[in-house]
Amino acid sequence: MNIILFGPPGAGKGTQAQFIVKKHNYFQLSTGNLLRDEVKLKTSLGSKIEQLISNGEFVSDEAVNTLLKQAITHLKFRDRIIFDGYPRNIEQAINLELILNEFKQTIGHTIFLNVSRDIIEKRIMGRMTCEKCNMTLNEYFNKEQIELHPCGPEHLKKRKDDNLEVVIARYDTYMTATKPILDFYSKNLNFTEIDGAQEIDQITTKIDDILKV
Ligand code: AMP
């Protein structure tokens, strides 16, 4: 079964997805990472995507859905996907249901990491992501881990869209387009809300408990 990690930007979805990948043999499907990979290819689609991401706007459903379908239909990932950053609006939520039904897969757990905007701002402003392994660390809270990072600290980079103006835009978009789809998921028995303001390992322990069920 697959997992949806749901929450505002900076809630810790990517960080927790990486733990689930290591411990529970899952694959992280971060639409943000897939889109940033497309930007790195420097295609014309990539430059349109770059523009939207740097303004904190959504990339078109069409582009994101194509990338998503390629991953869902990949045999290696079958029923072992953590959706991180998808769905982000009601149309994407419906699209996910349709594709999963078509390929006879299910969502086993929907986990909502709930975090307030002031905490998000602090987390995102310090966030550094490794361009090689995608690990995320925070320049204020993880100084030592940054120094000792196995790929080398020079590979930890700030995302261009992690500045205050864009963070506020992304949060507003989350509140208007993404948060309303919680109604769609919160009625299901497999839905769990976790206080995402807790320490990383406390959240990991709660997710471990959920995945044991
Ligand atoms: P993230 O890495 O999840 O914070 O996503 C970074 C940016 O990629 C977002 O601010 C959007 O511009 C874009 N993006 C990621 N996932 C989606 C999605 N499911 N639908 C539309 N745009 C997305």
Side-chain angles (χ1 to χ4, degrees), residues 9-70:
K13 302 186 293 294
T15 302
Q16 294 301 333
Q18 285 165 2
F19 284 114
I20 302 172
V21 166
K22 279 194 197 129
K23 277 194 184 168
H24 300 276
N25 186 28
Y26 272 82
F27 297 92
Q28 178 187 10
L29 199 170
S30 154
T31 43
N33 285 348
L34 291 178
L35 292 166
R36 281 183 288 275
D37 287 344
E38 191 67 37
V39 171
K40 280 185 206 154
L41 294 177
K42 301 213 179 292
T43 57
S44 67
L45 174 65
S47 72
K48 281 184 207 142
I49 291 173
E50 186 172 28
Q51 183 86 36
L52 291 164
I53 291 182
S54 38
N55 290 335
E57 290 168 39
F58 280 174
V59 174
S60 74
D61 286 347
E62 195 193 351
V64 180
N65 290 347
T66 305
L67 293 172
L68 182 99
K69 192 164 181 181
Q70 282 165 2

Side-chain angles (χ1 to χ4, degrees), residues 160-210:
K160 277 195 206 147
D161 59 337
D162 281 352
N163 62 69
L164 194 55
E165 196 188 337
V166 179
V167 169
I168 291 171
R170 282 157 63 198
Y171 187 78
D172 289 346
T173 315
Y174 164 79
M175 289 306 278
T176 49
T178 310
K179 197 156 186 235
I181 61 173
L182 268 184
D183 290 342
F184 189 84
Y185 291 111
S186 59
K187 295 186 191 87
N188 296 340
L189 285 177
N190 67 18
F191 177 87
T192 315
E193 177 171 338
I194 296 180
D195 175 6
Q198 298 172 95
E199 295 296 323
I200 291 175
D201 50 356
Q202 288 178 296
I203 299 174
T204 309
T205 305
K206 293 215 165 114
I207 293 179
D208 279 345
D209 290 343
I210 294 167

Side-chain angles (χ1 to χ4, degrees), residues 92-102 107 184-185 188:
Q92 292 184 6
I94 293 167
N95 181 59
L96 183 61
E97 292 278 306
L98 289 174
I99 301 183
L100 290 178
N101 282 341
E102 184 184 346
I107 297 293
F184 189 84
Y185 291 111
N188 296 340

